[in-house]
Amino acid sequence: MIGEVAAVISALKALNDGINTIKQSAGNAGDLQAIIGRFAGASEKYQDVERQRTGRMSYKEALAMESAKRQLANFDRQLKDICLMQGQGDLYKSIKDRMEQSRIAHEKEVARLRKQRKEMRKILNWVGLFVFTWVCGMGFVWLILAIIRG
């Protein structure tokens, strides 16, 4: 699990390096596309880790994921600034629209997984109760038979 969180952090570092390069060199369309690709990749990695590990992270991992979430928001602001400086505000809007669709789908998936895990816990609790009751019942029957025969 730590490796997955580390992958998110390393993707964010690569994204940060790319944004700094664009800011320093006044960037071109190719650099901007690379940054958008890195941003999308880092965002997807973040969402994948959150989806896979929802509700099962250690304190340290949860803090790292929260930090990654804040860094993604910061990169979003920087991406907006870069797009506006290059006169490509419509590109930023279309990127955000697609990312919003992805975010909504991600939130629905995370909610579905949480509900599924909750239902599975409930089923396992019932199965455990049934097995415990059956074992106790059979032990009681065995004890009664042992007393009657004994």
Side-chain angles (χ1 to χ4, degrees):
M1 174 54 204
I2 301 260
E4 294 167 340
V5 174
V8 171
I9 300 297
S10 68
L12 290 172
K13 184 180 181 321
L15 178 60
N16 190 30
D17 293 344
I19 287 176
N20 287 335
T21 300
I22 284 184
K23 283 181 177 178
Q24 290 172 359
S25 67
N28 60 34
D31 290 339
L32 185 59
Q33 288 176 348
I35 291 299
I36 292 169
R38 287 181 185 166
F39 181 63
S43 182
E44 286 176 11
K45 281 183 184 180
Y46 172 83
Q47 289 178 356
D48 287 344
V49 170
E50 188 179 51
R51 185 180 306 119
Q52 292 170 358
R53 303 295 297 175
T54 183
R56 297 183 289 159
M57 286 188 208
S58 70
Y59 182 71
K60 183 178 180 180
E61 293 165 342
L63 285 176
M65 288 299 289
E66 185 61 29
S67 173
K69 182 178 180 180
R70 289 176 189 254
Q71 285 180 352
L72 282 171
N74 185 31
F75 293 142
D76 180 51
R77 283 189 298 277
Q78 291 177 3
L79 177 63
K80 181 179 181 180
D81 292 343
I82 290 169
C83 286
L84 292 175
M85 283 191 287
Q86 292 187 354
Q88 297 181 2
D90 58 330
L91 174 64
Y92 177 77
K93 184 179 177 335
S94 67
I95 292 169
K96 289 306 291 181
D97 289 343
R98 288 183 189 261
M99 289 179 73
E100 183 66 18
Q101 291 170 356
S102 174
R103 185 191 61 79
I104 289 170
H106 168 72
E107 287 177 357
K108 286 180 183 178
E109 179 70 11
V110 168
R112 184 189 67 79
L113 287 172
R114 284 183 177 153
K115 183 178 179 184
Q116 184 180 27
R117 286 183 183 139
K118 184 178 178 181
E119 290 172 0
M120 184 58 78
R121 265 191 230 112
K122 191 175 182 181
I123 289 170
L124 288 175
N125 284 341
W126 279 107
V127 167
L129 180 64
F130 173 75
V131 168
F132 177 75
T133 304
W134 184 81
V135 168
C136 288
M138 289 296 116
F140 186 67
V141 168
W142 179 80
L143 183 64
I144 289 175
L145 290 176
I147 291 174
I148 291 175
R149 288 186 180 167

